[in-house]
Amino acid sequence: MNLQKKIIFQYLRAKINVLTLINTRKAAEYAFKLFCTPIKSGVAKESKIFKDAEKMEFLLEGKKVCGFRFNHPRPQKVLILHGFSSYSYKFDNYITALLDKNYEVLAFDAPAHGSSEGETTNALEYKTMIEKVVELYGPINNFIAHSFGGLAVCLALEEMLPSDNIKLVLIAPATETTTAINTVFKMLDLNNTKLRTAVDDHINKISGHKTEWFSIRRAIKNIKANILWVHDEDDDITPISDALKAKEDKIPYVTYIITKGLGHRKIYRDETVKKAVMDFL
């Protein structure tokens, strides 16, 4: 960990600990807001393929959502969904490959990401965005999702029935929200059980669901899509242990590819992984 991150984490930990002493509920609300705030790492350099794309936008709960459409109209459409603190520009390699196969491609920045408006987002808002994209630009029968996008699309497809004619690619998906929150607590060195419980209570209050409901392992049991799940043994963001628990369920329409040495981010740039995805579609 570099010095700048260490200082930021120390500040956040101290603030949360002080808030917890004053009001645990308020501390939980603050911690959850942090959890929903993407890191602004700057916008990647726009590749030529995006310069030639059709620029798209729509309003979602008063916030502008921005994206791109390529090769319209075509009978087969693919929606690409990025992960947390990411954006559409990072998936130019998939867009190029899909256009070579004559797909229509849609790629949108999630709320609070890339060119889209907002400061925070959560799985339900991302889910709603996906549903809106399908409503406006669908039907869409193919989805490629990385990390946080994987959770959001699974929550969306769970309600977008029937789904038996859909192909879904999950690349290093954020399998369990409980694990993600525990990881943030560990990263910030927060050991307060009362605060951790309060965060779960806050999630239940604002969403109507317990934290463990936000689970790909749970959701895919209700999705009849043909699913390809690609995960790396060395993923330090979305741990392979959660993916392996889902694999143990032996759902017949889910195929797993387990890689080694690609981690969480290299995996979606890997040429072998990309080929497997293209062959699957």
Side-chain angles (χ1 to χ4, degrees):
M1 183 187 302
N2 62 41
L3 180 59
Q4 185 180 16
K5 280 188 177 181
K6 187 174 181 180
I7 292 171
I8 291 172
F9 288 172
Q10 287 175 343
Y11 167 77
L12 292 174
R13 178 170 60 251
K15 183 171 182 177
I16 291 171
N17 284 334
V18 170
L19 282 174
T20 303
L21 291 172
I22 299 170
N23 188 316
T24 303
R25 180 178 60 81
K26 290 292 185 183
E29 291 175 1
Y30 177 75
F32 181 72
K33 183 178 179 181
L34 282 179
F35 183 71
C36 297
T37 304
I39 298 170
K40 302 291 186 179
S41 56
V43 178
K45 184 178 179 181
E46 182 182 64
S47 62
K48 183 180 184 301
I49 196 167
F50 285 96
K51 293 177 181 177
D52 297 335
E54 181 182 1
K55 306 296 191 294
M56 316 292 289
E57 64 179 55
F58 60 87
L59 288 179
L60 183 71
E61 299 176 356
K63 293 182 287 189
K64 185 166 65 175
V65 173
C66 299
F68 306 88
R69 182 164 65 182
F70 307 80
N71 208 25
H72 174 73
R74 292 294 184 276
Q76 284 292 317
K77 301 179 183 181
V78 181
L79 175 59
I80 295 177
L81 300 158
H82 63 75
F84 201 73
S85 296
S86 186
Y87 32 78
S88 301
Y89 284 164
K90 292 190 174 183
F91 290 83
D92 56 336
N93 60 333
Y94 277 94
I95 294 168
T96 300
L98 290 165
L99 295 182
D100 287 343
K101 293 187 70 172
N102 203 33
Y103 282 97
E104 179 176 327
V105 182
L106 293 152
F108 283 82
D109 292 332
H113 290 75
S115 300
S116 295
E117 294 180 341
E119 296 298 324
T120 65
T121 196
N122 56 54
L124 287 183
E125 187 176 45
Y126 202 170
K127 163 187 173 288
T128 302
M129 187 209 85
I130 294 167
E131 293 168 341
K132 188 69 174 179
V133 170
V134 173
E135 175 190 336
L136 292 173
Y137 312 113
I140 300 172
N141 292 330
N142 305 282
F143 300 83
I144 299 174
H146 177 243
S147 195
F148 182 52
L151 174 60
V153 74
C154 286
L155 296 179
L157 290 177
E158 198 176 13
E159 296 183 4
M160 290 163 52
L161 301 175
S163 57
D164 54 356
N165 64 335
I166 285 174
K167 288 186 177 181
L168 168 63
V169 177
L170 299 172
I171 304 175
T175 310
E176 303 293 346
T177 299
T178 298
T179 300
I181 295 175
N182 288 342
T183 299
V184 174
F185 265 63
K186 184 178 180 180
M187 182 174 63
L188 293 176
D189 196 23
L190 296 170
N191 302 308
N192 191 311
T193 303
K194 187 177 179 181
L195 174 63
R196 180 66 185 83
T197 300
V199 170
D200 286 335
D201 291 343
H202 179 65
I203 290 172
N204 194 5
K205 178 182 177 182
I206 64 174
S207 70
H209 298 288
K210 293 183 178 180
T211 305
E212 53 266 30
W213 183 86
F214 294 91
S215 159
I216 291 179
R217 183 185 182 188
R218 180 201 63 77
I220 60 172
K221 294 175 183 177
N222 302 316
I223 302 170
K224 304 306 178 185
N226 191 8
I227 301 172
L228 175 65
W229 186 325
V230 187
H231 221 112
D232 193 78
E233 291 182 6
D234 302 318
D235 194 318
D236 61 343
I237 303 297
T238 59
I240 187 65
S241 55
D242 285 343
L244 293 178
K245 288 175 185 175
K247 189 173 186 289
E248 289 172 1
D249 293 334
K250 299 184 185 303
I251 299 174
Y253 48 84
V254 184
T255 301
Y256 291 86
I257 295 177
I258 307 299
T259 60
K260 174 71 176 176
L262 297 176
H264 187 68
R265 297 174 185 85
K266 288 182 181 179
I267 189 168
Y268 71 85
R269 305 293 299 184
D270 182 76
E271 287 297 318
T272 302
V273 170
K274 186 180 74 173
K275 184 181 183 305
V277 171
M278 292 301 109
D279 290 344
F280 171 78
L281 294 176

